[in-house]
Amino acid sequence: GENVEQHPSTLSVQEGDSAVIKCTYSDSASNYFPWYKQELGKRPQLIIDIRSNVGEKKDQRIAVTLNKTAKHFSLHITETQPEDSAVYFCAASKIAGTASKLTFGTGTRLQVTL
Amino acid sequence: DTGVSQNPRHKITKRGQNVTFRCDPISEHNRLYWYRQTLGQGPEFLTYFQNEAQLEKSRLLSDRFSAERPKGSFSTLEIQRTEQGDSAMYLCASSPAGYGYTFGSGTRLTVV
């Protein structure tokens, strides 16, 4: 089955700096890669996703890049703000027909300091 | 219908008791997933429904766990003879076609 590794496990940046979180996946058939943000005691919320036919996607201050050859994808947050502090999870899935199970990474705790 | 609803939010039970959780997905979503999350870990897949059909179940899932989705609407997850290791947050998510899961707020189970 799919295995997703995520690094780093914790990340501390100063407000205004950029943050990068990296994930690798094992199943070359995976074709969908979402990122979720989870604040303490709350539900995971989708912040951005990318499909395998695209190399990069951007939404305001967040962007995701995908390297299918190397089987890794990354989340980039620019101009970080205190409200970006949370745990971020990457995930991978092979979506085909009825198959659509997400496999999650272990999470990155991002702390944005003033 | 503003999101995925899960009940109860918290459940404390004694070891050996049975518990049942409910999930009401977004009404237009035909896919429904159950995940389990322990402290400091990512959500771990348990099982998945497309409409009323249970299409996949994790190999890690004990026979004490069972899930249903009658009529393809809400779903229930039952855990029989609970153990302390079952203590976790149980998350439900729904999706229209496998993309863009929307998660519920979860049910936190504590087995004492």
Side-chain angles (χ1 to χ4, degrees), chain A residues 43, chain B residues 1-7 22-27 29 31-33 91-95 101-106:
Chain A
R43 70 185 77 190
Chain B
D1 202 354
T2 56
V4 178
S5 176
Q6 290 189 247
N7 289 288
R22 176 177 170 128
C23 172
D24 287 273
I26 293 173
S27 57
H29 291 181
R31 301 190 187 202
L32 185 148
Y33 309 82
L91 292 165
C92 176
S94 70
S95 165
Y101 286 20
T102 299
F103 280 92
S105 296

Side-chain angles (χ1 to χ4, degrees), chain A residues 23-94:
Chain A
C23 289
T24 61
Y25 60 99
S26 61
D27 188 351
S28 56
S30 288
N31 56 11
Y32 175 61
F33 308 92
W35 287 86
Y36 284 82
K37 175 184 180 182
Q38 187 173 31
E39 297 178 53
L40 190 63
K42 296 193 175 179
R43 70 185 77 190
Q45 291 195 300
L46 178 69
I47 56 171
I48 195 167
D49 57 9
I50 191 168
R51 304 187 189 190
S52 60
N53 59 346
V54 175
E56 184 173 356
K57 184 177 178 181
K58 189 173 181 180
D59 182 4
Q60 298 183 343
R61 294 187 298 110
I62 60 172
V64 57
T65 58
L66 171 65
N67 182 327
K68 288 188 296 182
T69 303
K71 288 189 285 187
H72 68 70
F73 56 114
S74 300
L75 178 71
H76 304 252
I77 306 174
T78 59
E79 301 172 16
T80 53
Q81 301 168 3
E83 51 265 38
D84 294 329
S85 296
V87 179
Y88 292 81
F89 293 98
C90 63
S93 176
K94 172 189 163 185

Side-chain angles (χ1 to χ4, degrees), chain B residues 8 53 83 86 94:
Chain B
E83 302 172 356
D86 297 331
S94 70

Side-chain angles (χ1 to χ4, degrees), chain B residues 13-17 19 21 35-39 41 44 46 60-62 64-65 79-90 107-112:
Chain B
T13 190
K14 291 183 179 179
R15 188 163 49 101
Q17 297 294 306
V19 294
F21 311 141
Y35 280 77
R36 177 171 61 191
Q37 186 176 27
T38 53
L39 199 61
Q41 298 297 316
E44 175 190 30
L46 295 179
L60 302 175
L61 205 59
S62 156
R64 298 182 296 105
F65 287 70
I79 309 174
Q80 296 182 327
R81 305 180 303 282
T82 52
E83 302 172 356
Q84 285 191 322
D86 297 331
S87 295
M89 175 72 83
Y90 289 83
T107 294
R108 180 168 296 284
L109 173 66
T110 303
V111 181
V112 298

Side-chain angles (χ1 to χ4, degrees), chain B residues 60-80:
Chain B
L60 302 175
L61 205 59
S62 156
D63 289 344
R64 298 182 296 105
F65 287 70
S66 63
E68 293 183 338
R69 192 184 182 195
K71 301 179 183 178
S73 56
F74 70 93
S75 176
T76 57
L77 177 68
E78 181 183 17
I79 309 174
Q80 296 182 327

